[in-house]
Amino acid sequence: MTVVTIPENVQGTEPVQMLNMLKFADRRLYIEEYLPAFHRVMEILGLEAKVNLIGNVLASVVADEGEEWDAILIVEYPSAKAFVTVATSDAYRDIAEQLRLTALSNLKLYMTRPFVL
């Protein structure tokens, strides 16, 4: 099972946006199999997540040498707790996790919230 630790200062009931930096091993597998499997997990858990952005990376403008990503994905969860519930669930492990591991050669994942000005 995936272990996810969220710092106490981001826990709560406010929505979070997860910024996913994706490097594909198999783009087709990610889009055609992983994403539907992820949606099945969300249905099983009775949770909703909203895709705010999915886009191809055109160029690395400011990045470490050799750092290349194929796509970004921003998914909004109702709370940090909801994200942890999904990421650590048996449903995610059994239905979607292996597809994600096979479809991606690299992943960075950042939990964010909008700035409050």
Side-chain angles (χ1 to χ4, degrees):
M1 178 173 288
T2 302
V3 176
V4 179
T5 305
I6 303 299
E8 213 168 294
N9 66 324
V10 297
Q11 295 180 12
T13 58
E14 299 160 24
V16 296
Q17 292 80 38
M18 300 302 295
L19 169 62
N20 298 256
M21 304 296 296
L22 309 172
K23 182 71 173 172
F24 295 116
D26 186 335
R27 181 184 294 262
R28 184 212 58 81
L29 181 67
Y30 188 85
I31 293 168
E32 295 179 15
E33 296 186 42
Y34 170 73
L35 291 178
F38 175 79
H39 288 293
R40 271 196 313 279
V41 169
M42 296 301 286
E43 288 175 6
I44 289 167
L45 297 175
L47 295 171
E48 291 186 27
K50 180 172 85 174
V51 174
N52 289 340
L53 173 69
I54 186 167
N56 291 315
V57 173
L58 302 178
S60 294
V61 178
V62 177
D64 291 335
E65 176 122 8
E67 184 176 356
E68 298 287 332
W69 299 100
D70 295 321
I72 64 166
L73 174 65
I74 299 176
V75 180
E76 184 173 312
Y77 288 81
S79 65
K81 182 180 179 184
F83 169 77
V84 172
T85 296
V86 174
T88 60
S89 71
D90 290 340
Y92 184 80
R93 186 194 68 232
D94 295 344
I95 296 170
E97 187 171 46
Q98 189 56 51
L99 291 168
R100 182 196 53 147
L101 293 171
T102 303
L104 298 176
S105 62
N106 200 359
L107 166 70
K108 286 190 178 179
L109 185 60
Y110 300 95
M111 182 176 287
T112 71
R113 277 201 183 113
F115 279 121
V116 177
L117 301 176

